[in-house]
């Protein structure tokens, strides 16, 4: 490595500070690094607007002295990249990676080395640490990450967030507050400053490290806060390790955040080779019935996962074009309070009334796959001990997708360590980050895709491991069955600007019956059309039609949209919206000329005028429009909808009224 003094390399230099600035390819975002009193800070601006004030960088260790001050620059490299790459499945086929990068090699007063790499894109900034292999750093325990995000204009900044490190993991209601009211927040952490610039802090490529949440110290000073191991250490690793990327997505408007590919661009390319066996698609399942108490997971007269019920679901799936049937509660271990059954689940033994081999055969004859299910109730050692056999069993039975579950309070994942001692871990601590990924890799060996519930948050690893097909990681539809309170009207709008920035979500839309609760408390707080719109708005390569089959039979005309909507896209564009108020997405079906549009609103009714300039110029389309009826209202009249057809082109506009907590779903069929 060249040993050059920082001074020579700097664009500007004063006696007190040495600084280096790099701009995004479109020159709107500027990243400035400053070596000031020998500690390194970064700051970010957008055009002339200061976004992130000088913020500290560095790491603290249990054994070694901190790497945070006394730095000199050994070397640096500025490079740029502009290339296209493809997603095997996704919200778009082609992704553009256009950025400038700065790689800094630093040494501190002890001559300990730290490398930091920054990438500046048109849609934000990412940076990560690397501690090179060096004397005294064979075994490394990180006690704290010093990384700061000091928000400029913090007094005028509004934050949209959920708390971190709580018992309910990521399943909290979103809060809209002045930035100063945030204490410890989960990421993606979205906020808007006084000038209307929208930002979101998150991370990319979380592998073999602890997840980061944000702890607000002084007003506006957010500090990286890593989920600890049972013993308080944050990360246990070796010299040579890299941290995940710390990311700041930046956009002059709300929808720009939704069109950002920054997180994916910062992940490693596909490591699995040919993944044509990973199949996007739609599914139904023996699932909602349990959540609304029609069925039970455990054995008995209301057992849902019976051979008979499953055959009926397979018949329905075959008739209406679904690819899979999820069956929960098929394996031994659910009886009693399954929340606490982590150590009794048997992942290879079925209840007597469930015949896996027969159902695999029956499904095959109808062109429908069973979707597997492994609930661990948070005892990951019990699952780990059976994982290989459990995956083998499913592979043998033609199952190529499994939903996993890790229901346990935050900080209460149970594992048995090498000495036989039970340890409690966080879902997003380093131990579990590796445990989830182990499951993904084992599944990949058997060409099985995984849909993780109660997951660690997504950080774009689907690029590297495309069989990590989707996950939960926020309040899903299930909260509308039993949540106290159920998801409020703004919830799914909030998800778009927060949780969804991290990646696909198995929200499980499509509830058509709002009257299942005798107490009239639980129900989706939406119109029926909003349930349709969710298929377009909340991206996932696998989407469930979550309701009971009989409820679809009552609204066959509206059900048609769920049958038609694809789950794999050529391109996607958020075309209108404001955080927490409304959002509209247009998505083009993969390898097709057809487009789909979905729009949803919060508790306010609103009329949207949407330009259709996303459609191919010169083509005519039949727009099959599913909209709220004139009297629709989520509370008093959720079932009122209108389905109409119009011929439209890309020079047209569509003006549609969305009811309170209503929606709009359109299929544009190319003529
Ligand atoms: C939690 C999942 O999110 C839910 O969908 C599932 O039904 C239960 N675990 C039982 O496994
Ligand atoms: Ca859940």
């Amino acid at each position: 490595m060249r040993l050059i003094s920082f001074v020579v390399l700097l664009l500007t230099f004063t006696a007190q500070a040495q600084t280096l600035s790099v701009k995004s390819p479109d020159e709107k975002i500027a990243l400035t690094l400053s070596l000031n009193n020998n500690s390194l800070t970064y700051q970010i601006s957008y055009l002339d607007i200061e976004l992130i004030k000088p913020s500290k960088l560095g790491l603290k260790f249990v054994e070694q002295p901190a790497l945070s001050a006394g730095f000199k620059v050994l070397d640096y490299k500025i490079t740029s990249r502009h290339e296209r790459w493809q997603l095997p499945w996704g919200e778009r086929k082609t992704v553009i990676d256009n950025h400038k990068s700065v790689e800094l090699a630093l040494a501190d007063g002890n001559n300990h080395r730290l490398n930091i790499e920054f990438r500046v894109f048109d849609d934000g900034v990412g940076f990560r640490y690397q501690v090179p292999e060096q004397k005294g750093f064979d075994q490394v325990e990180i006690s704290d990450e010093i990384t700061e995000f000091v928000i400029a204009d913090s007094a005028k900044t509004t934050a949209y967030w959920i708390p971190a490190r709580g018992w309910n993991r990521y399943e909290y209601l979103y809060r809209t507050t002045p930035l100063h009211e945030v204490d410890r927040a989960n990421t993606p952490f979205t906020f808007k400053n006084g000038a209307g610039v929208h930002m979101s802090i998150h991370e990319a490529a979380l592998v073999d490290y602890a997840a980061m949440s944000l702890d607000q110290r002084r007003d506006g000073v957010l500090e990286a806060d890593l989920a600890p191991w049972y013993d308080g250490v944050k990360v246990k690793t070796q010299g040579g390790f890299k941290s995940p990327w710390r990311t700041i997505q930046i956009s002059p408007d709300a929808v720009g955040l939704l069109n950002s590919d920054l997180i994916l661009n910062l992940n490693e390319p596909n490591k699995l080779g040919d993944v044509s066996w990973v199949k996007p698609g739609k599914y139904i399942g023996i699932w909602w019935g349990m959540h609304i108490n029609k069925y039970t997971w455990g054995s008995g007269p209301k057992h849902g996962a019976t051979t008979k019920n499953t055959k009926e679901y397979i018949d329905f799936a075959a008739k209406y074009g679904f690819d899979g049937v999820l069956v929960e509660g098929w394996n031994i271990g659910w009886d009693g309070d399954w929340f606490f059954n982590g150590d009794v689940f048997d992942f290879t033994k079925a209840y007597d009334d469930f015949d896996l081999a027969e159902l695999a055969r029956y499904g095959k004859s109808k062109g429908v796959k069973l979707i597997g299910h492994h609930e661990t109730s948070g005892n990951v050692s019990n699952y780990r001990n059976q994982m290989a056999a459990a995956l083998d069993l499913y592979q043998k039975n033609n199952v190529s997708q499994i939903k996993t579950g890790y229901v346990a309070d935050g900080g209460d994942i149970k594992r048995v360590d090498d000495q036989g001692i039970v340890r409690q871990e966080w879902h997003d601590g380093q131990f579990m980050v590796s445990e989830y990924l182990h499951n993904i890799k084992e599944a990949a060996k058997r060409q099985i895709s995984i849909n993780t519930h109660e997951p660690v948050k997504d950080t774009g690893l689907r690029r590297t491991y495309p069989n990590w097909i989707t996950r939960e990681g926020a309040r899903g539809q299930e909260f509308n069955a039993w949540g106290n309170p159920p998801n409020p009207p703004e919830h799914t709008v909030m998800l778009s600007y927060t949780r969804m920035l991290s990646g696909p979500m198995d929200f499980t839309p499509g509830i058509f019956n709002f009257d299942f609760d005798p107490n009239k408390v639980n129900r989706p707080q939406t119109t029926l059309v909003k349930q349709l719109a969710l298929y377009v708005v909340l991206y996932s390569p696998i989407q469930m039609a979550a309701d009971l089959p009989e409820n679809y039979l009552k609204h066959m005309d509206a059900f048609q949209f769920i049958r038609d909507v694809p789950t794999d896209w050529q391109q996607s564009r958020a075309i209108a919206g404001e955080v927490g108020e409304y959002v509209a997405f247009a998505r083009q079906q993969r390898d097709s000329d057809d487009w789909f549009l979905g729009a949803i609103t919060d508790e306010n009714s609103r009329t949207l005028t949407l330009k259709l300039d996303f459609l191919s110029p010169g083509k005519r389309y039949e727009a099959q429009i599913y909209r709220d009826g004139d009297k629709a209202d989520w509370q008093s009249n959720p079932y009122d909808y209108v389905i109409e057809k119009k011929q439209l082109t890309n020079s047209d506009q569509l003006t549609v009224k969305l009811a309170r907590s209503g929606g709009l779903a359109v299929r544009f069929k190319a003529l």
Side-chain angles (χ1 to χ4, degrees):
M1 187 167 271
R2 290 171 299 156
L3 236 159
I4 313 170
S5 115
F6 204 31
V7 183
V8 180
L9 310 165
L10 299 172
L11 300 186
T12 64
F13 172 71
T14 67
Q16 290 75 35
Q18 306 174 347
T19 65
L20 170 66
S21 282
V22 178
K23 285 192 171 170
S24 56
D26 69 1
E27 309 228 308
K28 290 183 180 163
I29 296 174
L31 166 77
T32 302
L33 307 175
S34 307
L35 201 54
N36 214 329
N37 300 324
N38 296 329
S39 73
L40 184 72
T41 59
Y42 74 97
Q43 66 198 88
I44 298 174
S45 60
Y46 179 83
L47 298 173
D48 289 335
I49 307 163
E50 187 180 30
L51 302 181
I52 304 283
K53 294 208 260 196
S55 300
K56 287 184 204 151
L57 295 161
L59 296 166
K60 285 188 185 162
F61 307 99
V62 175
E63 295 285 335
Q64 299 84 352
L67 281 169
S68 61
F71 289 128
K72 62 175 186 283
V73 174
L74 299 179
D75 194 7
Y76 84 113
K77 202 162 75 185
I78 297 179
T79 52
S80 60
R81 183 190 291 175
H82 191 172
E83 62 186 38
R84 291 160 177 268
W85 56 275
Q86 295 209 322
L87 280 165
W89 49 263
E91 57 275 65
R92 69 190 95 257
K93 191 164 191 175
T94 304
V95 181
I96 296 172
D97 179 354
N98 185 15
H99 70 256
K100 292 218 187 101
S101 84
V102 188
E103 288 167 71
L104 273 185
L106 305 165
D108 70 4
N110 302 311
N111 223 8
H112 289 156
R113 301 264 314 274
L114 174 67
N115 298 339
I116 313 182
E117 182 178 359
F118 299 84
R119 292 191 188 170
V120 190
F121 300 79
D122 292 346
D123 54 351
V125 174
F127 60 88
R128 70 173 166 189
Y129 302 102
Q130 193 216 358
V131 173
E133 285 182 38
Q134 55 193 299
K135 198 159 161 265
F137 281 78
D138 298 335
Q139 294 303 313
V140 178
E141 293 191 333
I142 297 176
S143 59
D144 199 9
E145 207 182 285
I146 297 166
T147 315
E148 284 179 347
F149 306 85
V150 181
I151 314 299
D153 195 25
S154 68
K156 292 199 195 119
T157 294
T158 305
Y160 312 93
W161 59 287
I162 52 172
R165 215 71 59 69
W167 71 271
N168 218 357
R169 307 169 304 270
Y170 307 135
E171 297 175 14
Y172 289 95
L173 291 173
Y174 284 87
R175 304 170 184 188
T176 300
T177 70
L179 178 67
H180 295 170
E181 287 175 23
V182 174
D183 40 39
R184 183 149 60 186
N186 188 34
T187 72
F189 174 77
T190 299
F191 54 105
K192 175 171 92 170
N193 73 11
V197 179
H198 289 68
M199 284 162 271
S200 188
I201 298 173
H202 187 48
E203 56 187 312
L206 170 57
V207 177
D208 199 19
Y209 206 86
M212 175 185 78
S213 53
L214 299 170
D215 187 16
Q216 182 156 222
R217 311 289 294 178
R218 290 166 181 244
D219 282 356
V221 180
L222 304 175
E223 204 183 279
D225 184 16
L226 304 178
W229 283 76
Y230 72 94
D231 60 2
V233 173
K234 305 289 171 54
V235 177
K236 305 183 184 200
T237 184
Q238 296 89 34
F241 76 89
K242 286 179 179 154
S243 74
W245 293 92
R246 276 67 191 92
T247 60
I248 307 162
Q249 285 159 288
I250 300 167
S251 165
D253 56 15
V255 290
L257 288 180
L258 314 187
N259 292 321
S260 163
D261 291 322
L262 182 110
I263 307 284
L264 283 174
N265 273 326
L266 289 170
N267 272 270
E268 299 288 318
N270 172 11
K271 285 193 175 160
L272 300 182
D274 174 15
V275 286
S276 52
W277 48 270
V278 179
K279 301 266 190 236
K282 280 176 290 189
Y283 69 103
I284 57 171
I286 299 179
W287 176 76
W288 185 244
M290 275 81 96
H291 286 269
I292 61 171
N293 294 322
K294 175 183 176 183
Y295 296 134
T296 56
W297 279 276
S299 59
K302 294 207 296 181
H303 187 212
T306 64
T307 304
K308 180 173 171 292
N309 285 344
T310 309
K311 282 192 173 171
E312 283 172 21
Y313 271 73
I314 290 174
D315 291 341
F316 184 90
K319 184 161 180 194
Y320 296 109
F322 290 87
D323 307 282
V325 173
L326 165 71
V327 189
E328 296 196 0
W330 66 277
N331 61 317
I332 301 286
W334 291 89
D335 294 332
D337 194 344
W338 61 263
F339 271 56
F340 305 101
N341 286 6
D343 34 4
V344 300
F345 277 118
D346 188 319
F347 298 95
T348 53
K349 280 208 186 66
Y351 281 114
D352 283 346
D353 51 359
F354 185 83
D355 187 340
L356 178 60
E358 163 60 12
L359 287 164
R361 185 203 62 75
Y362 188 74
K364 202 165 193 171
S365 76
K366 299 252 168 178
V368 174
K369 287 208 168 199
L370 286 176
I371 297 177
H373 185 237
H374 290 156
E375 173 59 57
T376 66
S377 288
N379 185 330
V380 294
S381 295
N382 182 43
Y383 184 36
R384 174 67 99 107
N385 293 338
Q386 301 178 56
M387 195 181 290
L391 294 172
D392 287 346
L393 176 71
Y394 269 145
Q395 186 189 24
K396 204 174 88 198
N397 285 286
N398 196 31
V399 170
S400 55
Q401 211 183 91
I402 299 173
K403 170 176 170 180
T404 57
Y406 296 82
V407 173
D409 285 2
D412 213 7
I413 287 278
K414 273 204 281 174
R415 70 168 173 110
V416 183
D417 74 4
D418 298 343
Q419 281 101 53
I421 303 169
V422 177
R423 306 290 190 195
Q424 282 154 297
E425 304 288 358
W426 289 93
H427 287 73
D428 56 357
Q430 184 188 10
F431 173 80
M432 281 307 291
V433 164
S434 300
E435 196 64 20
Y436 288 113
L437 191 55
H438 175 79
N439 179 243
I440 298 302
K441 290 179 182 170
E442 285 298 306
K445 287 182 195 161
R446 297 160 177 90
Q447 304 205 333
I448 290 173
S449 301
I450 299 288
N451 164 10
T452 315
H453 278 232
E454 298 77 50
V456 60
K457 63 188 164 185
D458 198 349
T459 55
L461 284 175
R462 62 183 159 129
R463 177 174 179 189
T464 316
Y465 302 97
N467 70 321
W468 203 339
I469 196 157
T470 193
R471 63 184 99 190
E472 189 186 44
R475 272 175 157 244
Q477 184 86 275
E478 62 185 17
F479 273 81
N480 297 328
W482 42 254
N484 180 15
N487 298 328
E490 74 160 15
H491 181 65
T492 43
V493 182
M494 277 309 228
L495 286 179
S496 300
Y497 296 96
T498 53
R499 160 67 182 80
M500 300 310 294
L501 297 181
S502 71
M505 176 175 178
D506 188 38
F507 179 83
T508 70
I511 297 303
F512 274 18
N513 175 24
F514 302 97
D515 296 300
F516 53 83
D517 177 9
N519 301 320
K520 305 230 169 287
V521 174
N522 280 103
R523 52 163 288 193
Q525 298 190 343
T526 75
T527 64
L528 189 144
V529 173
K530 188 173 178 179
Q531 290 291 315
L532 299 182
L534 295 177
Y535 287 89
V536 182
V537 171
L538 299 178
Y539 170 65
S540 175
I542 54 165
Q543 291 277 23
M544 187 178 204
D547 211 339
L548 307 172
E550 62 250 40
N551 292 327
Y552 293 127
L553 299 177
K554 292 179 198 144
H555 300 281
M556 286 305 282
D557 52 355
F559 184 49
Q560 188 62 42
F561 184 81
I562 301 180
R563 298 180 60 194
D564 291 338
V565 71
T567 62
D568 196 20
W569 309 99
Q570 189 72 19
Q571 49 175 321
S572 292
R573 244 177 271 167
I575 56 172
E578 290 297 342
V579 184
E581 297 180 14
Y582 71 102
V583 64
F585 272 96
R587 302 191 196 266
Q588 182 186 10
Q589 182 164 359
R590 202 166 267 211
D591 301 322
S592 154
D593 287 329
D594 292 359
W595 282 79
F596 288 75
L597 187 137
I600 57 175
T601 177
D602 62 1
E603 67 281 4
N604 299 306
S605 164
R606 67 186 80 231
T607 298
L608 297 182
T609 296
L610 301 169
K611 283 196 194 136
L612 305 182
D613 54 4
F614 52 85
L615 296 172
S616 295
K619 264 203 163 52
R620 283 185 319 124
Y621 293 83
E622 178 184 85
Q624 302 167 1
I625 302 169
Y626 300 72
R627 63 172 176 86
D628 292 320
D630 297 338
K631 300 210 170 64
D633 178 281
W634 76 264
Q635 246 165 334
S636 59
N637 201 2
Y639 302 106
D640 183 24
Y641 58 84
V642 174
I643 302 173
E644 59 197 6
K645 292 185 178 158
K646 281 186 186 160
Q647 289 210 5
L648 295 169
T649 69
N650 88 327
S651 55
D652 288 315
Q653 296 191 338
L654 200 57
T655 298
V656 179
K657 183 175 166 226
L658 278 57
R660 295 171 62 227
S661 197
L664 166 69
V666 187
R667 176 191 193 195
F668 294 93
K669 211 171 144 13
L671 294 174

